[in-house]
Amino acid sequence: MPNQTLPSGQLVIQIVAMPADTNANGDIFGGWLVSHMDMGAGIAARRRARSRVVTVAINSLVFIKPVAVGDTVCCYADLQKVGRTSMQFKMEAWTLALSDEKPKKVAEGLFTFVAISETGKPQAVDR
């Protein structure tokens, strides 16, 4: 992975990692982080499609560094591709610690969403 110093994409979620979100090792549970990345991608997809959306795939996901209790987790969405009914977003999760001014990239992945109608059927993103 290239040595990236700043996040790419639009900030869609910020949340503080709490003690209740830890795994048995005391780090933040990976599933907690994935859920926030998915929520952030969903916010960006909804905004782009101007409709309901559903996650259809997490095409890739890499955990780069552990997240510590007290870190502010920032999720960024960067639209990569738009199909007829689908959208792919590169998601990055970065942390800000009180003890360090420099943000750290902790995870990245590719999330695919499909725009759906009120009845739950796929619909065109650009209507």
Side-chain angles (χ1 to χ4, degrees), residues 78-90:
D78 191 13
L79 182 63
Q80 301 290 295
K81 181 180 170 185
V82 177
R84 194 179 76 73
T85 63
S86 65
M87 298 155 284
Q88 281 190 332
F89 290 87
K90 178 183 177 191

Side-chain angles (χ1 to χ4, degrees), residues 25-108:
N25 298 319
D27 297 318
I28 296 304
F29 176 57
W32 179 89
L33 183 58
V34 173
S35 71
H36 289 292
M37 292 173 75
D38 185 43
M39 182 73 71
I43 290 168
R46 240 175 82 137
R47 190 176 299 142
R48 174 61 177 84
R50 296 179 319 281
S51 71
R52 292 174 60 197
V53 296
V54 293
T55 308
V56 294
I58 298 176
N59 306 82
S60 66
L61 184 61
V62 177
F63 295 102
I64 301 164
K65 294 180 180 179
V67 177
V69 170
D71 285 353
T72 299
V73 176
C74 306
C75 296
Y76 294 84
D78 191 13
L79 182 63
Q80 301 290 295
K81 181 180 170 185
V82 177
R84 194 179 76 73
T85 63
S86 65
M87 298 155 284
Q88 281 190 332
F89 290 87
K90 178 183 177 191
M91 293 300 297
E92 295 181 357
W94 290 69
T95 58
L96 297 168
L98 290 176
S99 61
D100 191 359
E101 294 179 21
K102 206 165 89 173
K104 292 183 178 79
K105 186 192 246 187
V106 295
E108 68 179 23

